[in-house]
mmCIF file of all heavy atoms in Angstrom:
data_model
loop_
_atom_site.group_PDB
_atom_site.id
_atom_site.type_symbol
_atom_site.label_atom_id
_atom_site.label_comp_id
_atom_site.label_asym_id
_atom_site.label_seq_id
_atom_site.Cartn_x
_atom_site.Cartn_y
_atom_site.Cartn_z
ATOM 1 N N LYS A 72 -2.797 13.350 -48.645
ATOM 2 C CA LYS A 72 -2.845 11.912 -48.341
ATOM 3 C C LYS A 72 -3.741 11.659 -47.153
ATOM 4 O O LYS A 72 -3.784 12.435 -46.208
ATOM 5 C CB LYS A 72 -1.421 11.419 -48.028
ATOM 6 C CG LYS A 72 -0.472 11.482 -49.215
ATOM 7 C CD LYS A 72 0.901 10.948 -48.839
ATOM 8 C CE LYS A 72 1.863 11.013 -50.024
ATOM 9 N NZ LYS A 72 3.203 10.482 -49.663
ATOM 10 N N VAL A 79 -5.679 3.400 -29.085
ATOM 11 C CA VAL A 79 -5.702 2.249 -28.178
ATOM 12 C C VAL A 79 -5.961 2.758 -26.789
ATOM 13 O O VAL A 79 -5.838 3.973 -26.492
ATOM 14 C CB VAL A 79 -4.351 1.477 -28.236
ATOM 15 C CG1 VAL A 79 -4.139 0.901 -29.609
ATOM 16 C CG2 VAL A 79 -3.189 2.364 -27.794
ATOM 17 N N SER A 93 3.245 5.714 -38.216
ATOM 18 C CA SER A 93 4.301 4.762 -38.469
ATOM 19 C C SER A 93 4.264 3.577 -37.502
ATOM 20 O O SER A 93 5.098 2.640 -37.627
ATOM 21 C CB SER A 93 5.676 5.446 -38.330
ATOM 22 O OG SER A 93 5.809 6.024 -37.035
ATOM 23 N N LEU A 103 15.233 6.349 -19.647
ATOM 24 C CA LEU A 103 15.297 6.155 -18.219
ATOM 25 C C LEU A 103 14.963 4.714 -17.827
ATOM 26 O O LEU A 103 15.524 4.143 -16.907
ATOM 27 C CB LEU A 103 14.368 7.140 -17.509
ATOM 28 C CG LEU A 103 14.726 8.625 -17.617
ATOM 29 C CD1 LEU A 103 13.662 9.461 -16.924
ATOM 30 C CD2 LEU A 103 16.095 8.866 -16.956
ATOM 31 N N LEU A 140 32.025 -5.537 -21.288
ATOM 32 C CA LEU A 140 33.284 -5.977 -21.813
ATOM 33 C C LEU A 140 34.082 -6.681 -20.691
ATOM 34 O O LEU A 140 34.110 -6.248 -19.535
ATOM 35 C CB LEU A 140 34.065 -4.804 -22.362
ATOM 36 C CG LEU A 140 33.392 -3.926 -23.423
ATOM 37 C CD1 LEU A 140 34.243 -2.698 -23.701
ATOM 38 C CD2 LEU A 140 33.112 -4.719 -24.672
ATOM 39 N N ARG A 150 42.060 0.157 -28.168
ATOM 40 C CA ARG A 150 43.124 0.246 -29.170
ATOM 41 C C ARG A 150 42.577 0.606 -30.560
ATOM 42 O O ARG A 150 43.290 1.127 -31.387
ATOM 43 C CB ARG A 150 43.885 -1.105 -29.243
ATOM 44 C CG ARG A 150 44.830 -1.322 -28.081
ATOM 45 C CD ARG A 150 45.833 -2.440 -28.379
ATOM 46 N NE ARG A 150 45.114 -3.696 -28.611
ATOM 47 C CZ ARG A 150 44.872 -4.610 -27.666
ATOM 48 N NH1 ARG A 150 45.291 -4.371 -26.421
ATOM 49 N NH2 ARG A 150 44.271 -5.677 -27.934
ATOM 50 N N LEU A 179 19.761 6.792 -36.411
ATOM 51 C CA LEU A 179 20.100 6.736 -37.851
ATOM 52 C C LEU A 179 21.571 6.498 -38.068
ATOM 53 O O LEU A 179 21.992 5.923 -39.122
ATOM 54 C CB LEU A 179 19.689 8.061 -38.524
ATOM 55 C CG LEU A 179 18.185 8.402 -38.449
ATOM 56 C CD1 LEU A 179 17.955 9.709 -39.125
ATOM 57 C CD2 LEU A 179 17.385 7.316 -39.115
ATOM 58 N N GLU A 226 8.445 24.573 -14.885
ATOM 59 C CA GLU A 226 7.334 25.498 -14.636
ATOM 60 C C GLU A 226 5.977 24.801 -14.626
ATOM 61 O O GLU A 226 5.099 25.026 -13.809
ATOM 62 C CB GLU A 226 7.323 26.635 -15.692
ATOM 63 C CG GLU A 226 6.202 27.612 -15.506
ATOM 64 C CD GLU A 226 6.183 28.632 -16.653
ATOM 65 O OE1 GLU A 226 7.071 28.580 -17.508
ATOM 66 O OE2 GLU A 226 5.263 29.498 -16.672
ATOM 67 N N LEU A 232 1.191 22.065 -12.094
ATOM 68 C CA LEU A 232 0.679 20.763 -11.717
ATOM 69 C C LEU A 232 0.900 20.447 -10.231
ATOM 70 O O LEU A 232 0.123 19.712 -9.644
ATOM 71 C CB LEU A 232 1.397 19.673 -12.551
ATOM 72 C CG LEU A 232 1.035 19.693 -14.053
ATOM 73 C CD1 LEU A 232 1.779 18.591 -14.744
ATOM 74 C CD2 LEU A 232 -0.474 19.503 -14.235
ATOM 75 N N ARG A 233 1.939 21.020 -9.631
ATOM 76 C CA ARG A 233 2.161 20.740 -8.218
ATOM 77 C C ARG A 233 1.006 21.208 -7.329
ATOM 78 O O ARG A 233 0.519 20.484 -6.482
ATOM 79 C CB ARG A 233 3.490 21.390 -7.776
ATOM 80 C CG ARG A 233 3.804 21.166 -6.312
ATOM 81 C CD ARG A 233 4.161 19.711 -6.013
ATOM 82 N NE ARG A 233 5.357 19.309 -6.775
ATOM 83 C CZ ARG A 233 5.819 18.065 -6.748
ATOM 84 N NH1 ARG A 233 5.189 17.110 -6.066
ATOM 85 N NH2 ARG A 233 6.906 17.757 -7.449
ATOM 86 N N HIS A 278 -49.124 -4.337 22.912
ATOM 87 C CA HIS A 278 -50.418 -3.741 22.542
ATOM 88 C C HIS A 278 -51.387 -4.783 21.991
ATOM 89 O O HIS A 278 -52.586 -4.760 22.325
ATOM 90 C CB HIS A 278 -50.207 -2.619 21.544
ATOM 91 C CG HIS A 278 -51.447 -1.876 21.152
ATOM 92 N ND1 HIS A 278 -52.271 -1.289 22.097
ATOM 93 C CD2 HIS A 278 -52.009 -1.669 19.942
ATOM 94 C CE1 HIS A 278 -53.300 -0.738 21.455
ATOM 95 N NE2 HIS A 278 -53.155 -0.952 20.173
ATOM 96 N N CYS A 279 -50.850 -5.703 21.197
ATOM 97 C CA CYS A 279 -51.697 -6.778 20.669
ATOM 98 C C CYS A 279 -52.259 -7.628 21.809
ATOM 99 O O CYS A 279 -53.468 -7.948 21.811
ATOM 100 C CB CYS A 279 -50.873 -7.620 19.703
ATOM 101 S SG CYS A 279 -51.739 -9.036 19.027
ATOM 102 N N ALA A 302 -82.254 -15.798 30.643
ATOM 103 C CA ALA A 302 -82.998 -16.248 31.844
ATOM 104 C C ALA A 302 -84.269 -15.416 32.047
ATOM 105 O O ALA A 302 -85.326 -15.972 32.403
ATOM 106 C CB ALA A 302 -82.115 -16.176 33.054
ATOM 107 N N GLN A 303 -84.130 -14.094 31.831
ATOM 108 C CA GLN A 303 -85.328 -13.241 31.996
ATOM 109 C C GLN A 303 -86.399 -13.588 30.940
ATOM 110 O O GLN A 303 -87.639 -13.664 31.310
ATOM 111 C CB GLN A 303 -84.933 -11.765 31.872
ATOM 112 C CG GLN A 303 -84.059 -11.290 33.011
ATOM 113 C CD GLN A 303 -83.603 -9.852 32.818
ATOM 114 O OE1 GLN A 303 -83.750 -9.260 31.736
ATOM 115 N NE2 GLN A 303 -82.993 -9.246 33.836
ATOM 116 N N PRO A 358 -81.339 -9.362 20.725
ATOM 117 C CA PRO A 358 -80.165 -9.998 21.319
ATOM 118 C C PRO A 358 -78.884 -9.353 20.736
ATOM 119 O O PRO A 358 -78.851 -8.947 19.589
ATOM 120 C CB PRO A 358 -80.275 -11.453 20.905
ATOM 121 C CG PRO A 358 -81.167 -11.478 19.717
ATOM 122 C CD PRO A 358 -82.132 -10.326 19.899
ATOM 123 N N THR A 405 -85.788 27.242 3.618
ATOM 124 C CA THR A 405 -86.255 28.214 2.633
ATOM 125 C C THR A 405 -86.638 27.471 1.360
ATOM 126 O O THR A 405 -85.970 26.549 0.922
ATOM 127 C CB THR A 405 -85.154 29.271 2.303
ATOM 128 O OG1 THR A 405 -84.773 29.890 3.511
ATOM 129 C CG2 THR A 405 -85.697 30.330 1.344
ATOM 130 N N GLU A 446 -87.294 14.986 -0.964
ATOM 131 C CA GLU A 446 -86.222 14.059 -1.129
ATOM 132 C C GLU A 446 -85.000 14.411 -0.288
ATOM 133 O O GLU A 446 -84.567 15.583 -0.298
ATOM 134 C CB GLU A 446 -85.790 13.951 -2.619
ATOM 135 C CG GLU A 446 -84.739 12.936 -2.907
ATOM 136 C CD GLU A 446 -84.410 12.820 -4.383
ATOM 137 O OE1 GLU A 446 -85.053 13.516 -5.152
ATOM 138 O OE2 GLU A 446 -83.497 12.066 -4.725
ATOM 139 N N GLY A 455 -69.019 8.651 13.029
ATOM 140 C CA GLY A 455 -70.173 8.654 13.935
ATOM 141 C C GLY A 455 -71.152 9.744 13.617
ATOM 142 O O GLY A 455 -72.202 9.808 14.319
ATOM 143 N N SER A 504 -90.682 56.683 -15.175
ATOM 144 C CA SER A 504 -90.046 56.062 -16.361
ATOM 145 C C SER A 504 -89.414 57.126 -17.269
ATOM 146 O O SER A 504 -88.378 56.903 -17.885
ATOM 147 C CB SER A 504 -91.060 55.261 -17.170
ATOM 148 O OG SER A 504 -91.602 54.244 -16.385
ATOM 149 N N PHE A 505 -90.048 58.329 -17.330
ATOM 150 C CA PHE A 505 -89.529 59.360 -18.210
ATOM 151 C C PHE A 505 -88.150 59.799 -17.739
ATOM 152 O O PHE A 505 -87.247 59.981 -18.554
ATOM 153 C CB PHE A 505 -90.505 60.574 -18.169
ATOM 154 C CG PHE A 505 -90.119 61.665 -19.094
ATOM 155 C CD1 PHE A 505 -90.444 61.605 -20.465
ATOM 156 C CD2 PHE A 505 -89.414 62.736 -18.626
ATOM 157 C CE1 PHE A 505 -90.023 62.677 -21.283
ATOM 158 C CE2 PHE A 505 -89.041 63.797 -19.441
ATOM 159 C CZ PHE A 505 -89.354 63.740 -20.779
ATOM 160 N N CYS A 545 -92.597 46.236 -10.329
ATOM 161 C CA CYS A 545 -93.891 45.869 -9.740
ATOM 162 C C CYS A 545 -94.668 47.119 -9.227
ATOM 163 O O CYS A 545 -95.844 46.965 -8.838
ATOM 164 C CB CYS A 545 -93.699 44.921 -8.566
ATOM 165 S SG CYS A 545 -92.761 45.586 -7.196
#
Side-chain angles (χ1 to χ4, degrees):
K72 295 182 180 179
V79 298
S93 59
L103 293 177
L140 305 172
R150 285 195 299 268
L179 300 178
E226 178 185 358
L232 293 179
R233 180 69 63 184
H278 182 56
C279 176
Q303 292 176 350
T405 304
E446 184 177 355
S504 300
F505 183 83
C545 63

